[in-house]
């Protein structure tokens, strides 16, 4: 980090073009990197080289997909490819920062699309979800793979309770470990307990507070209870 008296040099170090604009009371809007056009077209695009922006701070990967989820913006192709190439850099970011971005992402109106588009990112911060990606449930009650089912479940909840959102993200995380098959197809007997245990590992690692963690774990354990 270094200080500069050049406004353009300062803006060059911002994450995305829509965040790299400034205003001068006499000169008006100062937009060196096309942020106004990207804002109008609802595009998330890194300032300069995406690879460099993400290596400077990998949390920008989460910020990009969070903006896409919350505001419905699409991510430019160059930025998108850099996200996929550099997702593993998120392992260098503190759990608290990941937690904050993840929770905001889950509240977004486009969360279903973002979860489906970026399993590489989601399974980097929650590797326990990796076995769910592409896992065919082979069950007449489920038309999606386990991961896709999770993404649709999160997206279909229109409320704003983060406990419910996180519980939906983790509710079937134990399914691959409990998969069995017979003449009627695939089954996941007892998956609630395994999902709860895996969810506890995830929530502890991501530093969720005790109250939120306990509420999520209760929902995950009992999510398929028939009353």
């Amino acid at each position: 980090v270094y200080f500069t008296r050049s406004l353009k040099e300062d803006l060059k170090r911002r994450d995305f073009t829509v965040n790299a604009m400034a205003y001068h009371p006499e000169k008006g809007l100062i937009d060196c990197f096309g942020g106004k056009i990207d804002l109008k077209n609802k595009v998330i695009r890194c300032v300069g080289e995406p690879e460099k922006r993400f290596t400077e701070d990998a949390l920008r990967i989460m910020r990009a997909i969070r903006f896409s989820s919350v505001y419905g913006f699409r991510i430019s192709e160059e930025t998108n490819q850099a996200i996929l190439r550099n997702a593993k850099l998120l392992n260098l970011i503190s759990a608290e920062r990941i937690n904050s971005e993840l929770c905001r992402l889950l509240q977004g109106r486009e969360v279903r699309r973002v979860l489906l588009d970026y399993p590489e990112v989601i399974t980097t911060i929650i590797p326990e979800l990796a076995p769910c990606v592409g896992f065919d449930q082979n069950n007449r009650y489920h038309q999606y793979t386990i991961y896709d089912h999770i993404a649709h479940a999160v997206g279909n909840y229109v409320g704003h309770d983060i406990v419910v959102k996180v519980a939906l993200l983790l509710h079937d995380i134990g399914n691959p470990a409990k998969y069995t098959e017979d003449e009627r197809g695939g089954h996941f007997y007892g998956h609630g307990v395994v999902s709860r245990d895996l969810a506890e590992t995830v929530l502890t690692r991501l530093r969720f507070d005790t109250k939120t963690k306990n509420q999520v774990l209760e929902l995950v354990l009992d999510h398929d209870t028939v009353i």
Side-chain angles (χ1 to χ4, degrees), residues 96-129:
E96 291 85 355
R97 298 179 76 201
I98 295 290
N99 182 320
S100 177
E101 289 296 335
L102 175 63
C103 288
R104 295 160 83 179
L105 182 158
L106 292 175
Q107 298 278 25
R109 62 190 182 191
E110 294 288 332
V111 61
R112 178 195 295 110
R113 174 183 55 77
V114 168
L115 291 177
L116 291 173
D117 286 350
Y118 293 98
E120 298 90 346
V121 176
I122 302 303
T123 57
T124 295
I125 61 174
I126 307 178
E128 293 83 356
L129 277 171

Side-chain angles (χ1 to χ4, degrees), residues 58-176:
L59 191 70
R60 289 169 170 172
I61 293 171
M62 289 296 296
R63 282 170 57 80
I65 66 174
R66 188 252 294 178
F67 287 145
S68 185
S69 174
V70 172
Y71 301 114
F73 283 26
R74 68 179 179 86
I75 298 175
S76 75
E77 182 58 26
E78 187 178 9
T79 299
N80 178 68
Q81 291 303 314
I83 286 173
L84 299 179
R85 286 194 302 269
N86 292 279
K88 297 303 181 184
L89 292 176
L90 288 168
N91 291 319
L92 304 175
I93 302 300
S94 71
E96 291 85 355
R97 298 179 76 201
I98 295 290
N99 182 320
S100 177
E101 289 296 335
L102 175 63
C103 288
R104 295 160 83 179
L105 182 158
L106 292 175
Q107 298 278 25
R109 62 190 182 191
E110 294 288 332
V111 61
R112 178 195 295 110
R113 174 183 55 77
V114 168
L115 291 177
L116 291 173
D117 286 350
Y118 293 98
E120 298 90 346
V121 176
I122 302 303
T123 57
T124 295
I125 61 174
I126 307 178
E128 293 83 356
L129 277 171
C132 300
V133 177
F135 197 112
D136 188 352
Q137 303 198 65
N138 190 26
N139 186 298
R140 63 193 179 100
Y141 298 109
H142 291 284
Q143 61 178 317
Y144 302 116
T145 65
I146 298 174
Y147 181 83
D148 287 6
H149 163 77
I150 288 171
H152 280 81
V154 175
N156 286 342
Y157 172 61
V158 297
H160 301 287
D161 189 335
I162 192 60
V163 169
V164 177
K165 284 286 190 180
V166 175
L168 287 168
L169 181 67
L170 303 176
H171 78 284
D172 277 349
I173 197 169
N175 278 25

